[in-house]
Each structure stands twice: as structure tokens, then as C-alpha cells.
Amino acid sequence: MRKSRVVVVVGETGSGKTTQLPKMALELAREDGGKGRIGCTQPRRLAATSVARRVAEEMGGQVGGAVGYQVRFDEKVGEETAVKFMTDGILLAETQRDRQLRQYHTIIIDEAHERSLNIDFLLGYLKRLLKKRRDLRVVISSATLDAGGFSGFFGGAPVVEVEGRTYPVEDHFLPPIMEGEDLSQHVHRAVEWIYGADDRGDILVFLPGEREIRESAKLLEGKHFTDTEVLPVFARLSMAEQQRVFQKSRRRRIVLATNVAETSLTIPGIVYVVDPGWARISRFSPTRQVQRLQVERISQASARQRRGRCGRVREGVCVKLYDEETWESFSEFTDPEIRRTSLAGVMLQMLSLGLGDIADFPFLDPPSKKAVSEGAKTLEEVEAIGKGRNQDGQRYSMTELGRKLARLPLDPRLGRMLVAAQDRRVLAEVT
């Protein structure tokens, strides 16, 4: 980090990247005269708050002191805060008020392999910003080995690999789902198999979404396993409920989680992982012109991440609810969000964030010209953009209606229906 302004750090989940890199960056900032904060982004709110607590504890302080966090609806940042954890959306919003992010000495983009739209926006923004701010340092942290793309994107930045897991993990391919059996029953079969093999060690079960978690929790709680508690983890739970997974318990725990537990946070005490091989992934359907949240097979990279959640406290066991042939059929990496989302929404977001035209923006994986022109056509149809260059020389300019649509977390077409419904006083019916 001393030698290069941009560093890419690759290491398995749980190798300590998230907690140690900010402290190293802080040490470096103090060497450089102590000016500027260390900003560390996380893809999820739960990760930002839990990591801030952990780092504050390691530095012998309280959250809101030297270490703070800011997420949507919650902020613990003081005058003396030197390390600030936040969601990537918060940092993007800060670029509106301070285009050069002057308050930061180093920016760490954590979990960059998730390749959400916000992460891709930030990577492109920082690439441009590094040319203007010669004193800015950037660290890209990724849990998968496709880091060559990040290095090339930042002009051949050095890649540092760090060691991860300490204990070996044993793989078991449980027979695939049986006829007439649903996912919750399949998970129950796996948990029973674990209880038959060993009566201690916490279990982490990955499930596609909230509905599957509730169904599995109901079934497992109904079986009354001895001295066991079932803990769900998904985005819609309150922060207090989500934090329960970090609290020590004398009982054996079965944690039912969405892919929030895949890379963003390390749940202590996990010995067993149950991986059904499914995730709920948002994908745009060009034929239906609708963004759908569908359950589909995970990638091999995701499966490795899930497997890596055990084997921290002792030898781990990963129970895969599919066969080896199915594993071979998984794609190598999960598609970046920009490849599976409606570009109309992306373009609107970019205009609203002042990131400029999509055609000129430095994306890690630029979208095709055809997809861009289709996105622009959709925005013109819903009257979100006007033709003709604006005063900044951009090809498209937002209309007043476009600004309204950009504030709605919806596909622009659906947002347009709601705006029209409000004008015609039929909002309840259309909603």
C-alpha cells in the first residue's frame, strides 16, 4: 500500500481483510500526516454495522468514536471518527455533495467481487477521480480469484493474495431433492443427517429468500431438536434481530440465511454449512420488459464462498444438496449486475447521480451499444429524458418527471405508471 496508490487484495472469506485493511490504511494515513478518513464500503447494512463494531472493539473503543458507520436510517459518526464503514450507496450519495471525496485519505471497496451496480459505479468513479486527486489511495478487496480484471482496470495495480481458512472442510453430496419433497423438507433431511453424525457445532443453512427461510424455520422448530435455537437472517429483519446471530449462545444454533451470509459477514461458531445450490437473483427479461427476482442456480464461485463459511473453529463439513454432476454445470462466476439489469434504470440512476452518459463511463464490463440504445428508447418513451445535449455536453438530460422516477426504486416503466396513477387519483388501485 505504501508503494502503490491502488492495491487489489484477494483472499478467502474470513481471512481478516475487512477488519485488518482499514487499520493498515489508518497507520499509513498517520504516516502521511494524519489527514483524511479511511472510508470502507460494504454491500449490505448488516455487514457495515457489524464490522464497525468488531473493528471498534479491536481498537479498544466504542462505535461512534475512532470507528463509526453510516447506513440508511442510521449513523454513528463523530468529529474524531477516523475509520468510517458505510454501504456503497452511501458513498455514491456523498459524491453528490463532494465530487472529489476530499474527506477521505483512503477508500476501501470491500466485497468487490459482488459486482453490484453501486460497486461498478464506484469503481468507474474512482478510476476517474484518481487522475484528479493525486493524494487519494484505493484498496479493492475481493474474495474470488477473478481479480485480474480489477488489476487491469486500474492500469496493472498490484494484486496481493492473503491466506484464508485454517481447518480442512469435508464435502458431502446429499442425495438430490426427492419426488414430492420441497426445499424445506430437503433442508430438514440434511439437518437430521448432521444431528445423527455429531451433536455439537452450529449449522448455517443458505436459502434463496425470506419465504423459504420462514418455511424451513417453521418445520425445524416443529421438530423440537434438543437444546437448539433457529435463527433467521434476511435483509427485511430489523437490525436488532439480525444482530442476534453474533451473540454467543449455550444452545446449538441453526442459522437460516440468504446469501447475505455468503461473503458479507462471518457468523462465529459455524461448523456445518448446508448449501442447496440456489439463490434469488434479480434479472431483466428483455422479452417481457420486466425485472424479475427469480430463484436460479448459484455459480461455482458462490458455492466456494458458502463452503468457506465453515472450518473456522474446527474441521468443517459442507453438505451440498445436489450431486457432483450438478456442481459441474454451475457457471464459473455470477454475472455482474449490469449484465442482468434493465439499462433504462441504470441510465436514469447515472443521470441522477451526475455520472454522465453511460457510453462514456469507464465500466469494468461495458454494456453493448444495442442495450444502451434500447435503454435510452425506454426512457424517452416514459418521458424521463429529453433529446439534445444539456449544458454539460451530455447526450441526454433528465426531465422533471425523470427526477421523480429516479427516486423510485422501480423499473422506470412501473414508476411511470405510479406517477400517472397519482395524477389521475387511482394510486391505490395501480399500486
Side-chain angles (χ1 to χ4, degrees):
M1 283 163 70
R2 273 198 194 97
K3 289 176 187 169
S4 177
R5 286 173 64 210
V6 183
V7 179
V8 180
V9 181
V10 182
E12 291 214 21
T13 311
S15 53
K17 302 184 301 298
T18 304
T19 51
Q20 303 315 306
L21 286 172
K23 292 193 280 188
M24 292 177 194
L26 184 61
E27 202 178 309
L28 203 55
R30 285 172 178 159
E31 279 181 23
D32 289 349
K35 288 177 184 172
R37 278 181 175 153
I38 310 304
C40 187
T41 71
Q42 295 290 328
R44 296 177 178 86
R45 289 185 302 156
L46 177 58
T49 54
S50 60
V51 172
R53 284 194 184 92
R54 176 66 188 263
V55 174
E57 201 179 290
E58 286 182 9
M59 288 173 67
Q62 295 288 320
V63 174
V67 180
Y69 69 78
Q70 185 181 352
V71 296
R72 196 176 48 183
F73 312 130
D74 192 11
E75 182 179 0
K76 286 195 176 170
V77 177
E79 285 291 315
E80 71 279 25
T81 299
V83 178
K84 177 181 171 182
F85 289 91
M86 63 201 129
T87 53
D88 34 36
I90 293 288
L91 184 60
L92 257 183
E94 282 184 12
T95 63
Q96 303 290 284
R97 297 188 299 277
D98 174 13
R99 301 301 287 175
Q100 298 211 351
L101 298 171
R102 285 278 170 207
Q103 63 167 304
Y104 298 106
H105 171 277
T106 304
I107 290 172
I108 301 169
I109 306 291
D110 202 8
E111 313 294 356
H113 58 270
E114 291 214 359
R115 294 294 305 281
S116 68
L117 265 181
N118 282 351
I119 287 172
D120 275 9
F121 284 157
L122 282 173
L123 292 174
Y125 192 88
L126 291 172
K127 184 177 181 174
R128 280 178 173 173
L129 186 56
L130 283 163
K131 291 173 188 168
K132 295 175 189 170
R133 269 197 64 189
R134 294 286 174 193
D135 59 332
L136 181 68
R137 293 176 178 274
V138 174
V139 179
I140 311 294
S141 167
S142 170
T144 57
L145 288 166
D146 60 337
F150 297 125
S151 170
F153 184 67
F154 284 101
V159 178
V160 180
E161 288 186 32
V162 291
E163 288 299 316
R165 206 170 45 240
T166 46
Y167 296 97
V169 174
E170 203 179 311
D171 288 308
H172 284 274
F173 291 90
L174 202 73
I177 204 157
M178 295 190 289
E179 202 176 325
E181 187 180 49
D182 65 18
L183 186 55
S184 59
Q185 290 164 327
H186 199 191
V187 164
H188 168 245
R189 188 153 53 95
V191 171
E192 275 201 323
W193 181 85
I194 291 167
Y195 269 76
D198 183 8
D199 61 354
R200 59 206 175 96
D202 292 348
I203 302 166
L204 171 60
V205 182
F206 284 98
L207 289 158
E210 183 183 336
R211 189 177 56 129
E212 292 85 358
I213 286 174
R214 291 194 188 281
E215 284 170 2
S216 298
K218 194 177 174 184
L219 181 63
L220 292 169
E221 282 165 352
K223 296 295 176 182
H224 303 293
F225 287 107
T226 316
D227 203 27
T228 299
E229 63 179 328
V230 178
L231 296 173
V233 184
F234 50 86
R236 238 163 49 96
L237 280 177
S238 71
M239 291 304 283
E241 286 176 303
Q242 290 183 4
Q243 292 294 339
R244 282 177 63 205
V245 294
F246 300 110
Q247 292 157 12
K248 286 180 181 170
S249 171
R250 290 181 182 174
R251 300 162 78 193
R252 187 176 195 174
R253 302 181 307 161
I254 302 175
V255 180
L256 306 175
T258 56
N259 52 4
V260 65
E262 201 173 286
T263 59
S264 296
L265 49 103
T266 299
I267 298 170
I270 298 297
V271 175
Y272 293 89
V273 163
V274 177
D275 174 18
W278 297 101
R280 202 172 281 279
I281 292 173
S282 172
R283 199 177 285 281
F284 182 67
S285 163
T287 48
R288 295 184 179 192
Q289 292 290 309
V290 171
Q291 192 84 18
R292 301 163 69 200
L293 199 58
Q294 56 200 33
V295 175
E296 53 186 67
R297 281 296 186 192
I298 59 172
S299 64
Q300 290 183 359
S302 280
R304 280 192 289 271
Q305 295 300 330
R306 291 179 174 192
R307 182 181 185 271
R309 305 321 273 159
C310 55
R312 299 286 157 72
V313 284
R314 60 182 174 93
E315 289 83 2
V317 175
C318 180
V319 182
K320 295 174 174 170
L321 306 188
Y322 45 86
D323 53 30
E324 289 186 62
E325 206 176 304
T326 306
W327 153 258
E328 296 289 338
S329 72
F330 289 179
S331 61
E332 197 178 351
F333 297 106
T334 309
D335 293 338
E337 192 179 353
I338 194 156
R339 291 243 181 106
R340 50 184 170 82
T341 199
S342 154
L343 282 192
V346 175
M347 291 167 79
L348 197 59
Q349 212 177 332
M350 288 183 72
L351 289 168
S352 122
L353 287 166
L355 297 176
D357 283 341
I358 192 167
D360 307 326
F361 191 78
F363 277 112
L364 196 52
D365 286 296
S368 69
K369 285 182 180 175
K370 188 186 174 207
V372 171
S373 62
E374 277 178 14
K377 192 177 159 192
T378 300
L379 291 181
E380 282 171 16
E381 270 175 22
V382 298
E383 300 166 338
I385 58 172
K387 287 182 180 176
R389 294 185 180 273
N390 64 9
Q391 67 240 31
D392 300 326
Q394 289 174 359
R395 200 170 314 164
Y396 308 109
S397 55
M398 282 177 90
T399 60
E400 197 51 49
L401 184 57
R403 286 189 188 88
K404 273 188 189 174
L405 296 180
R407 288 203 300 270
L408 297 173
L410 288 171
D411 180 275
R413 277 196 170 98
L414 297 178
R416 183 70 184 90
M417 286 160 65
L418 287 183
V419 172
Q422 185 181 27
D423 293 344
R424 289 161 195 243
R425 298 182 184 175
V426 285
L427 185 59
E429 291 81 353
V430 173
T431 305

